[in-house]
Amino acid sequence: MYIPFNELPPHARLWIYQANRPLTDAEQDKIKPTLQRFAEEWSSHGTGLQASAELLHNQFLVLANNETAAAASGCSIDKSVNFVRELEQQLQVSFFDRTQLAFLKEGEVELISVQELKKKVSAGEISENTLYFDTLVNNYGELQEAWPRPAGNSWLSRYF
């Protein structure tokens, strides 16, 4: 069962996939109906999930499920991963590249490789107050309250 993204309860579980490039308006328009259809059909052991899907900041695909209505099983999570992989092929984009970190700089998403991070911190280009899109956020309430969050308030704090 589809639920609009902005109507998710704070405890709804999230899976955030970061694209390796911004999605164009045309690409977003093309896949938005596909996202809603996936959320409508997403199920766990035959039980429909209370699910949603959204594109944020032109670069993040977020799948969500209200776990109190029905929990996502391993099989249903596998279905979602396969769905995201199909989108990758369709859009010629990667949603599984974990070597890039996303920061909000001057109103734009900026990707920085993990290898560049120490250098950027040393140069003062990234500080503990630089806003970071932490893809480890796992519920809707946290996404609404603190996303992006200061890098110093994430797993990146060890770099400061």
Side-chain angles (χ1 to χ4, degrees):
M1 178 179 97
Y2 174 77
I3 182 171
F5 195 74
N6 63 349
E7 294 178 19
L8 288 165
H11 60 271
R13 185 174 176 190
L14 301 180
W15 293 267
I16 301 173
Y17 298 92
Q18 175 182 301
N20 64 338
R21 63 168 176 79
L23 300 176
T24 67
D25 290 342
E27 288 172 326
Q28 291 182 59
D29 290 344
K30 180 180 177 181
I31 67 167
K32 281 182 181 178
T34 306
L35 296 176
Q36 184 169 341
R37 190 169 40 257
F38 174 78
E40 288 169 355
E41 297 171 358
W42 198 15
S43 65
S44 176
H45 300 292
T47 302
L49 299 178
Q50 197 176 77
S52 193
E54 189 69 56
L55 293 169
L56 300 175
H57 299 278
N58 303 326
Q59 201 135 0
F60 303 93
L61 169 60
V62 183
L63 301 180
N65 179 48
N66 179 1
E67 295 275 299
T68 57
S73 65
C75 291
S76 61
I77 293 169
D78 288 348
K79 286 179 194 172
S80 70
V81 170
N82 289 336
F83 170 73
V84 174
R85 290 202 186 282
E86 288 171 13
L87 287 178
E88 280 186 318
Q89 291 178 348
Q90 189 177 358
L91 299 171
Q92 297 299 300
V93 66
S94 174
F95 284 110
F96 292 96
D97 181 357
R98 301 291 182 227
T99 65
Q100 299 287 314
L101 304 172
F103 295 88
L104 184 63
K105 300 193 84 178
E106 299 178 15
E108 298 289 325
V109 176
E110 181 180 325
L111 296 180
I112 296 169
S113 73
V114 173
Q115 296 160 331
E116 291 180 279
L117 183 61
K118 284 184 182 179
K119 179 179 153 190
K120 298 267 187 186
V121 169
S122 295
E125 294 176 41
I126 295 177
S127 74
E128 60 188 17
N129 296 317
T130 304
L131 294 179
Y132 169 61
F133 290 100
D134 188 352
T135 58
L136 300 178
V137 167
N138 64 11
N139 68 59
Y140 183 72
E142 192 176 359
L143 182 87
Q144 292 301 106
E145 292 172 15
W147 200 76
R149 64 172 44 146
N153 294 348
S154 73
W155 68 271
L156 296 175
S157 63
R158 64 183 175 208
Y159 291 96
F160 307 105

